Amino acid sequence: MEVFGFRAARRPVLVSLPHVGTALPDGFIGRLVPEAQGLPDTDWHLPRLYDFLEDLGVGVIQARFSRYVVDLNRPSNDTPLYSGATTGLCPTTLFDGAPLYRPDAEPDAAEVAERVTRYWAPYHDAITAEMTRLRDQFGRAVLFDAHSIRSVVPRLFEGRLPDLNIGTNDGRSADPTLSDRLVAVGADAGADGFTHVLNGRFKGGHITRHFGRPAEGWHAVQLEMAQVTYMEEEAPFAFDEARAARIRPHLRRFIGAMADWAADWAEDRA
């Protein structure tokens, strides 16, 4: 199986879906505790939720394999991204802190290195190639790293998460004029009862921080969305089309705002 799916962009925006994969290597599931075998920390259904991307002409890269194999949104040297509780490059716990693996089944350093080579590096190499192509063609390239998470995860954050968590690494990964447009979209979503925040608990993971290089023409934004906005948060994690229909137009505006921002810049330069 290919480690990721990819569709090239016609406009200067690439959407990354690093945590939607559910495939596992042969024999892997038997190493997991029963509570982990249903892959509860997956970013469920995002390709279905973002079903409008091809219509907008933006590119897409999405993981095939589970984040339990390797987390594509962590640095390859496993440097922690946040102070406090988090999960690592090859996680050994669930989001709630419970063990992921059966006793004596955790990967050793050699296996972690092999997973980085086989799964992590190709995904990041593909992003690098596409962002380079888009910048060279359009003058700017925007990476939108799309995520979702349960709205309540006490180990990772207090209380209920806002619905739309926009991250730009505290302003370092994207031009402020782009952030302003996205915050405006979030504010408009408030009319439908959705909440938003900029650079709150989720400021952007490794993908946003690494590929957000405004001085080089690369801009990156993460959106961590509360899953309650479009699905059931408990197993079997069913998609809810009625909820999705309410949030999807706002997500479409997020993507459209990025593409329009890049196009406006190109026109100003012409």
Side-chain angles (χ1 to χ4, degrees):
M1 178 186 293
E2 295 180 349
V3 299
F4 61 86
F6 175 76
R7 185 177 67 245
R10 304 190 303 275
R11 301 175 76 188
V13 177
L14 175 64
V15 177
S16 164
L17 301 169
H19 291 157
V20 299
T22 56
L24 299 172
D26 291 344
F28 191 91
I29 196 167
R31 298 167 63 182
L32 301 179
V33 298
E35 295 79 8
Q37 292 180 3
L39 311 181
D41 299 325
T42 301
D43 290 8
W44 296 106
H45 309 300
L46 289 189
R48 181 175 177 181
L49 184 65
Y50 287 89
D51 62 3
F52 52 83
L53 295 179
E54 186 169 10
D55 291 343
L56 291 182
V58 304
V60 181
I61 183 168
Q62 67 180 71
R64 302 293 191 203
F65 284 81
S66 170
R67 67 186 301 165
Y68 291 166
V69 179
V70 67
D71 193 329
L72 300 172
N73 202 28
R74 300 293 185 269
S76 59
N77 64 3
D78 206 15
T79 301
L81 294 174
Y82 294 100
S83 60
T86 186
T87 53
L89 174 68
C90 291
T92 57
T93 65
L94 299 168
F95 281 178
D96 64 7
L100 183 68
Y101 289 94
R102 297 178 184 275
D104 302 319
E106 293 185 5
D108 58 18
E111 183 179 356
V112 169
E114 190 276 333
R115 293 188 198 179
V116 169
T117 299
R118 181 175 179 184
Y119 304 102
W120 189 97
Y123 192 89
H124 288 257
D125 289 346
I127 293 178
T128 298
E130 183 69 348
M131 291 290 283
T132 300
R133 182 186 73 83
L134 293 176
R135 181 192 57 199
D136 291 348
Q137 180 176 348
F138 296 101
R140 278 181 172 179
V142 181
L143 179 67
F144 181 63
D145 204 41
H147 297 261
S148 70
I149 192 171
R150 294 191 302 276
S151 58
V152 178
V153 185
R155 178 172 173 262
L156 300 184
F157 50 84
E158 295 182 2
R160 186 194 185 282
L161 196 67
D163 297 315
L164 302 169
N165 300 265
I166 306 163
T168 63
N169 193 23
D170 286 329
R172 290 186 288 272
S173 70
D175 190 281
T177 59
L178 174 57
S179 298
D180 290 346
R181 293 197 187 193
L182 299 180
V183 169
V185 174
D188 289 343
D192 284 336
F194 298 111
T195 56
H196 75 284
V197 67
L198 174 65
N199 292 316
R201 168 59 177 82
F202 294 96
K203 303 176 186 295
H206 175 72
I207 290 173
T208 301
R209 301 181 196 197
H210 178 72
F211 291 103
R213 309 175 194 176
E216 301 176 30
W218 289 8
H219 302 262
V221 177
Q222 176 177 296
L223 181 66
E224 187 78 62
M225 184 166 46
Q227 290 177 339
V228 70
T229 60
Y230 71 95
M231 60 172 278
E232 298 294 336
E233 294 188 330
E234 302 300 328
F237 308 113
F239 189 81
D240 188 321
E241 185 56 55
R243 297 186 200 177
R246 294 185 62 244
I247 192 65
R248 192 181 279 121
H250 301 292
L251 300 176
R252 188 178 183 117
R253 291 186 191 102
F254 264 101
I255 307 296
M258 294 178 188
D260 291 346
W261 174 81
D264 290 348
W265 180 86
E267 289 177 4
D268 291 342
R269 298 273 292 183

